[in-house]
Each structure stands twice: as structure tokens, then as C-alpha cells.
Amino acid sequence: MTMADVKKIATRESYGNALAELGDKYENLYVLDADLAAATKTGIFKKKFPERHFDCGIAEANMMGVAAGLATTGKIPFASTFAMFAAGRAFEIVRNSIGYPHLNVKIGATHAGISVGEDGATHQCCEDIALMRTIPGMVVINPADDVEAKAAVEAAILHNGPVYMRFGRLAVPVFNDAATYKFELGKGVTLREGKDISIIASGLMVNEAIEAAKVLEAQGIDAEVINIHTIKPIDADLIVKTASKTGKVLTVEEHNVIGGLGSAVCDVLAEKCPTKVVKIGVNDEFGHSGPAVDLLKEFGLCADNIVKTAAEFVKA
Amino acid sequence: MDPMLKKNLEITACKVRLGILEGVFNAKSGHPGGSLSIADTLTYLYFNKMNVYPDKPDEPTRDRFVLSKGHTAPALYSVLAQKGFFSTEELKSLRHIGALLQGHPCIHIPGVDMSSGSLGQGISAACGMALSAKISNDSYKVYTILGDGEIQEGQVWEAAMFAAHYKLDNLVAIVDNNGLQIDGRVADVMSPYPIVDKFKAFGWHVIEMDAHDFDSIDAAFSEAEKISGQPVAIIQKSIKGKGISFMEDNVSWHGAAPNAEQYAQAKSELEAALAALEG
């Protein structure tokens, strides 16, 4: 199969499709949006279940509070907007009206990271994982492809408590097999076993890590690739296991290196298995406008940079 | 309203005020002023209006209440204790370490329908509860009380738009217009006036009431019940610190507890009022 044959789907599309597919099975599922139903893809659900989709207008703070109120009555609301507004603008409502009462609200945050592209820095949220994982009891999921994103939506429904789900705007390769893939909340996935270095990635960066491992193999470097789709609760056992095995951990995420996957991995390793860690991510700076793929390259969020960084790390 | 009923509500409200005093005094902190200004309205809601079940606090058919001005939790806790959701003894350990009663309302306390305290958020949750009833054809009603300072929060107006847009006529939002907030008179700090016109412009049916007269309270809530197709805002004219002479309309009692001497005076005033009502 050539690269051109690889199916590409944006995980926001997976989110909308999953909601529409699961709407029949879970009659208690409701969807809220903040004037972005076309972009977050909850419009797909709205088309099928118009009476279960509520537009809240451009008012994210109120939307999160409405979701909280719905949840107190036993309904399962999916509050949807861009990551910037869900985790950023509405942070305090998510903390106090959803997190503190531990309500069964699911937050579907699309357009995460710099791969938002042309809209530029105001809409490229690279802080959401950091914000959401500090809220006690909040589950944080960052799926890597279409198959995983759809499975994550159902896992979120089955989990009783608040869940933050991070989806992307950019179409990305589907590498998981829908027929055999099984999503386990809080469990990382070892995609490739290796002994020289552990590449721990999340979201869109997982596919880049897989591609990088192939190139590294050709260079004689045997990389282990781990997908951490659930950033909280994080799979500490798997992280300790791989770190003990390779002694070198490279984290890759489309998020600020402060507070995201890399930080979460360091939290685990600092306590349980001190290991040298190198982080690839957005280096504490704002993004800017441009085509998503070009931006990802510019910020080093691509297979080439993973190969380069991993090779230097292994040789060091 | 029926004079006997009115008298009973006045007696209960007086006991609620004694409970507020007890809570704040023993906590050595808290917000007595705004608690006392909503004591009558809360008494009316819990003893004459809402369907609630102290033995089954989570009964799905119950009417809901969200204290959007969550810092006045002592009033809510005192009325819930009077109603029998928990013992009035609990009021004495309000805000203490390990106690049931948190500084601001917490959903895990029996009878508390929503955690609140960060201003502007409770009304949104109340909208969600009211929307849920509309979706499922449930007949319960949702009540929320906001402060007149609280409505300076932008989220309140997001919620106000939402409630009117979805025609939440099962929602009643009460604005406690005692005229004072921490930094002074609301009119001086950041005027929310005209409150009535604002809610009208947002598509609400607006009723004005005297927060310390049960005839006025009864008339307002009776009118609210008849409104269909739009949410109802009740703007209640109230006195911060109502019932304790030295606290009335005095901003320094927004967030301060009385000392032993002040507590004794306040208690004797409320007990005298209670004795007069019961006598």
C-alpha cells in the first residue's frame, strides 16, 4: 500500500460520526454546540437527531453550565466547541460546575493544536491538556486516528464522570484496524516493540512516531512506539515498563511542552523510574497562520524531526 | 395569603435566620448579610412552593433549586435543616474541617441540587435542569437566586439569552436586589440598573416583589406560575442583613462574622421577634 492509498480522516469528523452512530444506542445522549456545529462536526448528529442537539450560540461559559445542569438530571451531554474555548475560555466553569460536582459531562474539543492552520495563534490551542489534567477527576483523552477517536467517544459514554476529548481539524492517516481495535480507557498501546529508545506519542503525533520508527529501523535504531491516548489517568505501568527497558524516553505531542503529555510522563518517571526524557512539542511559543502540514514541519511535529531527535538521543 | 400560613412562614423564617446566625458565628466567617436578605424567599420556596422530599433528596420528580449566589450558603443550609434534610446541629460545624457543610454549596450535601459559589454559574446549571425537563416532559420547576452584584458577570446574560431562546417557562430566576456588594453600593461599584428592563429586553417575564413580605412573595410566585412561553425573573427588593438591626443595609456585614457580644445581641433580637410571633 502506498501512502496515497492510506485513508485520511480528521478526528473531529470521527467525533461527529461517532455521536450520530451512537445516538441510537444511547438515547440519553444529547449534544450542545456553540455556533460551531459545522466545524466541530456535531452537525452530523444534528442532522440525524435534531431534537437532541442544542445550539447555545457563541456563549461557551453558559454552554458548559447548561451541560452540567443536564447531567444532574441523568442525561449525558456532549458539550462541543474548539479546544481553545472549551478548555481555555470556559476553564473555570468546567472546573467549578462540572469538575467539582463530578458531573457526567463529556467535552468534545475540536481544532486542538497548531494543525488548526490558517486561523493562526488565537485558535491554535496548545494548552488544553495542561489545563484539563489539573482538574481533579477529569479524564483526558487525545485519540490518534479515526478508529481510536470513535472508540473513545463510546468509552467516554460508558465512563461515569467528566471527560475531556481532544480532536483535530486536519485529516490524518487511519492506522488502527476497526475490526480488531479495542479502546481501554487509561491503557496505553504498544504499537512497536524496541530496545533502544521509547517514543511515547499522543494524538496526531502517533502516526508520525510510527513513520519515524520505520526510518530509525533502517538506521539501525530499534525504537519502541507507545500511544498514550488517555493522558489522564495515565498508564503509569506501561510508561515505567518501557522506560526501564530502553532507558531513554522521547515524548511527542502537538501541545506546549509545559503541562502536556511530556510533563505527565515525567511526573510518572520522576517518581517511579528516573529516566532521561526529551520532549518534542510546541516549545512554549504561540503558533501562527499557515497550512497545517507546513506548520507541523516548522514546529518539528513530524516524523523527520522525531527521527533526528531520536537518533541524537540514542547516540548521546 | 392565609394569615395562619403567613404567620407560620414568618416563624419559620425567623428560625432560619437564627440558624444563619448560628452557622456564621460558629464558623467565625461567612456571609450573613446576603443570607439574611434571602431568608424569607427561601423559606417560602421550601415550605410553601417546591416539591422536595427530605427523606428522598434525589427524587427525580422534585423541584430544583440552585443558589447561584452561593456565598449565601448559610441561608440555604439553614432552610434545608429546618426542612429536615439534615440536623440543625450541622449548622454549628459549617465551614469546619471535616464537616458536612462546605463554605459554598456542594452537590454532595443532602438537598443541594448543584454546587455553586463562583458567581454567574448557577443560573446556567439551572437552565440545563429546566431544558432537561422540557426535553423529557417532566413537570418539575427550577428556581435559582442570583445576587444583584452577581448579575455583573457576563455569563448571567449568556444564560438569560439561552433561557428565553428555549422558552424555559419552567425556570424562575430571583434577583436579590439588596443594593450592596463587597466594595460598596452596586450602583457605585458597577451599576446593574435598570435590572427590570434588562431582563425584559432579554425576553423574560419580569415581576417585582418585596422580599420581606410573604403576601408580596406569594403574589409574585403565583403570577410566575401562570406564565408560559418565557422564563420568569423576580426582582426582589430586599434588605441586606434583614432581621438583625446592626447588620441591616450595612455593607460591612457582607462577609464578616459577629463577635460574641454581637452574636448575643443578634440572637436576642431574633429570639424576641420569634417570641412575638409565637406569642
Side-chain angles (χ1 to χ4, degrees):
Chain A
M1 191 161 73
T2 66
M3 278 306 286
D5 300 324
V6 177
K7 201 165 133 196
K8 284 189 174 184
I9 301 175
T11 51
R12 60 170 166 150
E13 192 93 35
S14 320
Y15 172 56
N17 284 325
L19 291 173
E21 284 164 26
L22 295 166
D24 289 312
K25 189 170 170 186
Y26 302 98
E27 293 178 357
N28 239 2
L29 190 163
Y30 291 84
V31 176
L32 304 176
D33 211 303
D35 194 39
L36 289 169
T40 62
K41 300 297 175 187
T42 67
I44 302 168
F45 177 88
K46 184 181 183 176
K47 204 171 168 191
K48 190 169 171 190
F49 301 104
E51 74 291 351
R52 285 158 63 187
H53 184 281
F54 297 91
D55 208 315
C56 297
I58 310 165
E60 297 80 11
N62 180 58
M63 175 175 71
M64 293 302 176
V66 167
L70 284 169
T72 66
T73 65
K75 294 185 167 60
I76 305 175
F78 277 75
S80 317
T81 182
F82 291 177
M84 189 68 256
F85 315 130
R89 188 184 196 98
F91 172 77
E92 204 241 290
I93 295 90
V94 173
R95 181 203 186 266
N96 276 324
S97 286
I98 296 172
Y100 176 47
H102 199 69
L103 291 170
N104 199 22
V105 172
K106 316 304 168 187
I107 300 168
T110 69
H111 294 64
I114 62 160
S115 60
V116 161
E118 290 81 353
D119 276 353
T122 53
H123 288 57
Q124 294 164 341
C125 186
C126 297
E127 303 86 9
D128 55 327
I129 293 172
L131 288 163
M132 288 295 111
R133 79 184 183 94
T134 59
I135 298 175
M138 179 67 75
V139 167
V140 180
I141 305 175
N142 185 23
D145 76 346
D146 178 63
V147 172
E148 190 164 277
K150 287 164 90 173
V153 173
E154 185 159 23
I157 294 169
L158 296 171
H159 173 80
N160 184 26
V163 178
Y164 179 83
M165 281 167 291
R166 184 183 215 240
F167 303 107
R169 172 176 183 265
L170 179 69
V172 290
V174 182
F175 63 85
N176 282 303
D177 180 357
T180 56
Y181 182 80
K182 192 166 171 288
F183 183 95
E184 276 187 88
L185 196 74
K187 293 285 176 208
V189 184
T190 305
L191 293 167
R192 186 186 188 282
E193 298 208 14
K195 61 180 188 333
D196 297 332
I197 184 170
S198 304
I199 304 175
I200 301 179
S202 189
L204 317 196
M205 291 302 105
V206 176
N207 190 62
E208 296 301 312
I210 295 169
E211 294 303 318
K214 290 178 193 164
V215 179
L216 287 166
E217 187 177 22
Q219 295 179 6
I221 295 170
D222 187 16
E224 181 143 297
V225 177
I226 288 176
N227 170 14
I228 293 291
H229 52 62
T230 309
I231 293 173
K232 188 184 176 185
I234 201 159
D235 191 345
D237 291 345
L238 184 62
I239 291 167
V240 167
K241 195 177 140 206
T242 190
S244 322
K245 182 176 167 189
T246 66
K248 286 184 160 80
V249 172
L250 174 64
T251 61
V252 196
E253 61 191 312
E254 193 200 6
H255 185 277
N256 195 332
V257 289
I258 298 173
L261 170 74
S263 294
V265 167
C266 287
D267 287 352
V268 171
L269 295 178
E271 272 192 19
K272 299 186 173 168
C273 179
T275 306
K276 173 94 171 149
V277 177
V278 171
K279 294 192 231 173
I280 291 179
V282 176
N283 292 306
D284 198 24
E285 60 187 321
F286 290 106
H288 51 78
S289 291
V293 175
D294 296 346
L295 283 170
L296 289 170
K297 280 210 173 78
E298 184 188 326
F299 282 80
L301 304 171
C302 56
D304 289 353
N305 189 44
I306 298 171
V307 169
K308 184 170 160 278
T309 310
E312 283 168 10
F313 192 7
V314 169
K315 283 168 198 150
Chain B
M1 77 192 302
D2 172 65
M4 264 317 286
L5 175 61
K6 183 178 174 181
K7 191 165 198 180
N8 284 336
L9 288 171
E10 286 169 344
I11 288 168
T12 304
C14 209
K15 290 176 180 168
V16 167
R17 287 191 164 89
L18 277 161
I20 292 168
L21 177 69
E22 207 59 46
V24 175
F25 174 66
N26 284 290
K28 297 186 172 65
S29 70
H31 301 83
S35 296
L36 292 162
S37 66
I38 61 168
D40 299 308
T41 307
L42 272 178
T43 300
Y44 180 86
L45 282 172
Y46 278 87
F47 284 85
N48 196 54
K49 192 90 236 158
M50 291 168 56
N51 294 311
V52 291
Y53 313 92
D55 52 334
K56 291 179 289 174
D58 299 326
E59 169 63 39
T61 61
R62 75 191 187 280
D63 290 325
R64 264 65 169 184
F65 177 78
V66 181
L67 187 61
S68 202
K69 49 174 279 188
H71 56 286
T72 57
L76 177 60
Y77 297 155
S78 187
V79 93
L80 289 174
Q82 284 296 326
K83 192 73 184 173
F85 282 92
F86 45 79
S87 158
T88 52
E89 280 300 300
E90 291 285 349
L91 297 171
K92 291 179 180 164
S93 59
L94 166 66
R95 288 176 169 243
H96 289 196
I97 195 158
L100 173 70
L101 302 180
Q102 297 299 297
H104 289 81
C106 171
I107 202 165
H108 305 303
I109 297 168
V112 175
D113 292 321
M114 182 62 194
S115 303
S116 61
S118 177
L119 296 176
Q121 297 190 24
I123 185 174
S124 294
C127 284
M129 294 172 187
L131 178 67
S132 183
K134 287 283 175 194
I135 291 169
S136 305
N137 283 318
D138 292 324
S139 58
Y140 65 80
K141 296 250 192 291
V142 184
Y143 300 90
T144 182
I145 300 185
L146 301 117
D148 52 3
E150 180 182 7
I151 65 173
Q152 291 159 353
E153 286 282 3
Q155 188 179 342
V156 170
W157 302 101
E158 293 183 5
M161 244 184 289
F162 181 94
H165 183 81
Y166 286 107
K167 301 182 168 57
L168 302 181
D169 53 14
N170 52 352
L171 172 70
V172 179
I174 300 119
V175 178
D176 183 35
N177 186 205
N178 60 35
L180 294 171
Q181 62 186 119
I182 299 177
D183 280 353
R185 302 230 159 247
V186 292
D188 298 332
V189 175
M190 180 51 64
S191 176
Y193 299 113
I195 299 172
V196 170
D197 293 351
K198 281 194 175 73
F199 276 94
K200 278 186 181 164
F202 274 75
W204 290 54
H205 179 86
V206 184
I207 302 166
E208 293 178 82
M209 86 180 187
D210 177 341
H212 308 303
D213 172 359
F214 282 105
D215 286 318
S216 176
I217 296 172
D218 188 48
F221 283 96
S222 302
E223 182 182 335
E225 208 149 79
K226 296 187 189 105
I227 305 306
S228 70
Q230 61 184 149
V232 174
I234 296 177
I235 316 303
Q236 68 167 33
K237 191 75 206 135
S238 68
I239 296 167
K240 199 154 186 161
K242 173 71 179 178
I244 298 174
S245 63
F246 57 90
M247 290 190 185
E248 289 193 0
D249 197 36
N250 183 342
V251 77
S252 61
W253 291 102
H254 171 91
N259 62 27
E261 195 185 328
Q262 291 160 333
Y263 165 75
Q265 189 195 328
K267 195 172 180 184
S268 73
E269 284 183 23
L270 290 171
E271 280 172 347
L274 184 60
L277 284 164
E278 287 179 330

